[in-house]
Amino acid sequence: MQEMAKNLPLLLLLLSHGLFFLHVATATPRSYHRFTQDATQFPAISEYDYIIVGGGAAGCPLAATLSGGGSRVLLLERGGAPDEYPSLATASGFLPTISTTSQDSPAQPFSSEEGVANIRARVLGGGSAINAGFYSRAHPEFFTDVPFNWDLHQVNKSYEWIERALVHRPDVRGWQAALRDGLIEAGVSPYNGFTVEHMTGTKIGGSIFDAAGRRHSAADLLAYARHDRIRVATRATVDRIFLHQVQTNFSSVLPATAEATGVVFLDRLGRRHHAMTRRGGEVILCAGALGSPQLLLLSGVGPRAYLATWGIPVAVDNPDVGEYLYDNPRNGISILPPGPVDHSLIQVVGIPDGGDAFLEAASYVVPFVSPVESILFHRTAAPLYINVATIMEKVAGPASFGSLRLASLDPHDTPFVRFNYFTDPSNLDLNRCVSGLRRVGDVLQSRSMAIFRPAIGTWLPGGSDVMRGEFHYVGSPLPANRSDDDVMRGFCRRNVATLWHYHGGCVAGKVVDREFRVIGTRGLRVVDGSVLTVSPGTNPQATVMMMGRYVGQRILAGRRYMRNRRRHTPPAVAPPPPPPPDL
């Protein structure tokens, strides 16, 4: 039991994203397999209007949108296709997928320098192909906190496009229903029912799992691409961006020192391929909070002195590439219920007034492996399973941030990262963690949670009121004295884990401008979670997918504007010749 208690919290950090749902989506997309191939099948040199690096939550909708506008698009994904991994298809495969450590795993494990275990997606669809699927829009303040040129009407239309294709409504019962009722009892009100909007109170959110437990990831959005205008390369690892020096025009609104003209990518056999952009084309990074800053650094966009230590020629000197890297801390508790609980990923969320920390829950059936099994029991063909239920809190923001450093010049290697959990001088993150854990304690004390305590008898002989004992915890229980700030802060620090909502590294206003363009360059953008300084709402995947659709629409609108402008601009008329000189 001690060995199980030691390892189970690591498994339970995996239960941080997801759900089962009644179908809301109505679209029947076409298959994307007709234009998806292994990178070994691609030519040594090719040319496109847009080259998108990273086929994740932002890259897939962006590629589908741009190709739908008639542009020729190449989407490069370093992992394989989702259907190569059967466990990705269903909610029941969530935990086995995250627990896999094979070299080709779609969930690539890594640890921060603090020693906090984490996961990096490596599959078409990105995080949406491996996470637990919870879908909820950003908090309203997000669109003022993150300095882009937001058109909120187009933002809403982009969300709706995603939701029609992917999002479903859950059947809430068992542990999730108990959390819902416990949150309301604990004062996280009002109850908002089912909604994808970020609203103060308790709500049921959306999911990319349907009622049958089948996943609908961002890769499904590629089915809405124009199949004759897009190509998708899997197991294609981009080595660097081609950046050519340009003469700086200081009279320009956006002076640039380098222009992106293509990328070089490696297939799984190590062969190099050159993908180049046509005139007016762009390279767009959607490789995530680790991949996008890593690729900028490898390509010579970053701090001059740091790049020099690696012998990387400097294309653009920018000290902020790889800086301002955030990860939202997670804390919580796990219990062994006295009876069976249904399998459930995140379906219900508590959003308290003030939004300092968000409360979620999950329940799972996991195999029990005891070190004394071979001594006390005969091994049987049927494994033993236990039920585990967890309540967790996610610290909003956060305020603390760290940085990213190259591990090597090999793009396959995950960079070194440090998130500096709970280091902000104001202790804002710690105070939010303490506040969230106290609410977890309030939920555990609610009447709705009583049935998850073991029965120890009845109040009177023959009585119907069952006497309940204490919860059977897996891992650390909450401190008995939850009113002691120092004790609670210590618990937060000792038990910090991740929800995989890390972001930053190419943040808006420092690395990219208000249109997602990399400052100091032409033809280069970053569109993914690396541009964010705050996690959008309770879960970022809805907003990251929206960003892919949104930026694609804005790029197409810009192309239409320039095309119409050229069409309606009369040709320049030569001035009349000067009069002859007087004789």
Side-chain angles (χ1 to χ4, degrees):
M1 182 65 74
Q2 287 181 344
E3 186 68 20
M4 178 190 67
K6 176 182 177 182
N7 293 321
L8 203 53
L10 175 60
L11 298 178
L12 292 175
L13 86 85
L14 315 172
L15 304 176
S16 52
H17 302 65
L19 4 122
F20 298 69
F21 284 59
L22 300 176
H23 196 36
V24 173
T26 57
T28 304
R30 298 164 293 168
S31 171
Y32 56 84
H33 291 91
R34 69 182 78 180
F35 48 77
T36 301
Q37 291 179 297
D38 188 272
T40 56
Q41 303 302 307
F42 278 69
I45 302 176
S46 53
E47 193 176 60
Y48 304 87
D49 295 311
Y50 294 98
I51 299 169
I52 300 172
V53 180
C60 289
L62 177 60
T65 300
L66 291 175
S67 71
S71 299
R72 183 164 169 76
V73 177
L74 173 65
L75 178 63
L76 299 169
E77 167 52 45
R78 70 190 187 107
D83 55 8
E84 298 177 34
Y85 309 96
S87 64
L88 299 185
T90 63
S92 61
F94 170 65
L95 189 57
T97 296
I98 301 305
S99 304
T100 300
T101 58
S102 67
Q103 286 197 335
D104 193 42
S105 170
Q108 181 181 7
F110 73 95
S111 293
S112 70
E113 291 184 335
E114 297 95 335
V116 176
N118 215 314
I119 294 292
R120 183 185 183 193
R122 182 172 50 193
V123 63
L124 191 65
S128 70
I130 65 171
N131 67 15
F134 191 73
Y135 182 99
S136 186
R137 296 187 183 188
H139 55 290
E141 297 80 8
F142 171 82
F143 297 102
T144 55
D145 293 341
V146 180
F148 291 117
N149 290 328
W150 296 114
D151 176 344
L152 294 184
H153 174 70
Q154 188 61 50
V155 164
N156 286 329
K157 288 179 64 176
S158 298
Y159 273 128
E160 290 165 1
W161 185 79
I162 303 295
E163 289 153 12
R164 285 193 298 270
L166 304 183
V167 181
H168 305 264
R169 177 175 179 167
D171 178 18
V172 174
R173 58 190 176 184
W175 181 244
Q176 296 293 326
L179 174 71
R180 176 197 60 201
D181 298 341
L183 285 167
I184 296 170
E185 286 184 59
V188 185
S189 59
Y191 175 57
N192 296 308
F194 170 73
T195 179
V196 295
E197 299 289 352
H198 185 94
M199 302 175 69
T200 296
T202 296
K203 75 165 191 171
I204 301 168
S207 175
I208 58 173
F209 286 103
D210 63 23
R214 188 168 64 91
R215 182 188 296 274
H216 299 266
S217 77
D220 292 11
L221 298 171
L222 291 172
Y224 297 98
R226 273 186 57 177
H227 65 86
D228 60 333
R229 304 301 293 169
I230 186 173
R231 294 198 71 187
V232 178
T234 55
R235 291 184 171 81
T237 301
V238 175
D239 184 61
R240 72 179 187 276
I241 308 160
F242 289 119
L243 290 167
H244 291 183
Q245 294 298 311
V246 296
Q247 185 175 359
T248 302
N249 179 7
F250 290 102
S251 64
S252 171
V253 175
L254 292 170
T257 60
E259 181 175 11
T261 58
V263 302
V264 56
F265 65 91
L266 308 174
D267 63 29
R268 58 185 170 83
L269 301 179
R271 295 182 301 203
R272 301 169 75 85
H273 303 254
H274 290 191
M276 310 305 293
T277 55
R278 295 171 174 172
R279 183 177 180 181
E282 295 186 32
V283 175
I284 307 175
L285 304 187
C286 301
L290 303 190
S292 289
Q294 177 189 29
L295 189 52
L296 286 180
L297 291 171
L298 290 173
S299 304
V301 180
R304 180 180 299 276
Y306 178 73
L307 295 176
T309 64
W310 286 98
I312 299 173
V314 178
V316 177
D317 180 14
N318 187 326
D320 295 314
V321 176
E323 300 297 322
Y324 304 99
L325 194 67
Y326 303 81
D327 190 23
N328 298 82
R330 176 187 73 89
N331 263 281
I333 56 89
S334 300
I335 63 170
L336 300 177
V341 294
D342 60 318
H343 171 106
S344 72
L345 303 178
I346 300 170
Q347 300 175 346
V348 173
V349 63
I351 303 173
D353 188 20
D356 50 3
F358 310 123
L359 271 63
E360 302 167 331
S363 54
Y364 216 84
V365 180
V366 298
F368 171 66
V369 179
S370 170
V372 299
E373 179 182 1
S374 60
I375 300 174
L376 299 180
F377 307 104
H378 292 292
R379 187 177 297 277
T380 62
L384 297 173
Y385 291 91
I386 59 171
N387 294 281
V388 180
T390 181
I391 302 177
M392 65 199 83
E393 56 90 24
K394 168 188 172 179
V395 172
S400 304
F401 59 86
S403 60
L404 170 151
R405 297 179 294 115
L406 296 176
S408 73
L409 296 179
D410 186 342
H412 296 91
D413 293 339
T414 296
F416 296 130
V417 296
R418 174 174 288 275
F419 294 112
N420 291 328
Y421 300 102
F422 300 127
T423 58
D424 66 292
S426 69
N427 281 333
L428 180 61
D429 294 339
L430 266 177
N431 293 338
R432 286 174 168 174
C433 178
V434 169
S435 177
L437 288 176
R438 284 174 175 153
R439 288 194 183 91
V440 170
D442 293 341
V443 171
L444 289 173
Q445 297 303 314
S446 68
R447 293 188 302 274
S448 302
M449 289 287 163
I451 60 171
F452 298 101
R453 297 173 181 265
I456 58 174
T458 58
W459 290 107
L460 294 172
S464 59
D465 292 332
V466 177
M467 295 176 61
R468 299 282 179 178
E470 294 300 318
F471 291 109
H472 288 161
Y473 288 95
V474 178
S476 300
L478 287 179
N481 183 8
R482 295 196 298 274
S483 63
D484 189 318
D485 288 348
D486 290 338
V487 169
M488 295 296 286
R489 288 173 178 172
F491 183 93
C492 288
R493 288 192 175 98
R494 288 191 307 275
N495 295 283
V496 65
T498 183
L499 278 179
W500 310 336
H501 296 176
Y502 51 87
H503 52 280
C506 299
V507 300
K510 295 183 179 294
V511 178
V512 298
D513 66 15
R514 297 181 68 89
E515 290 292 339
F516 298 82
R517 295 172 295 209
V518 176
I519 296 168
T521 72
R522 296 178 190 164
L524 181 60
R525 300 187 202 231
V526 180
V527 183
D528 57 27
S530 71
V531 302
L532 306 180
T533 56
V534 61
S535 183
T538 61
N539 187 293
Q541 76 167 347
T543 299
V544 174
M545 287 192 284
M546 176 278 292
M547 285 164 49
R549 173 67 172 177
Y550 176 82
V551 174
Q553 293 283 68
R554 286 186 71 85
I555 291 174
L556 293 178
R559 289 176 71 96
R560 288 192 298 268
Y561 171 79
M562 294 304 296
R563 188 165 54 244
N564 291 335
R565 184 178 179 183
R566 288 192 296 267
R567 184 180 302 147
H568 294 99
T569 299
V573 178
D582 293 334
L583 297 178

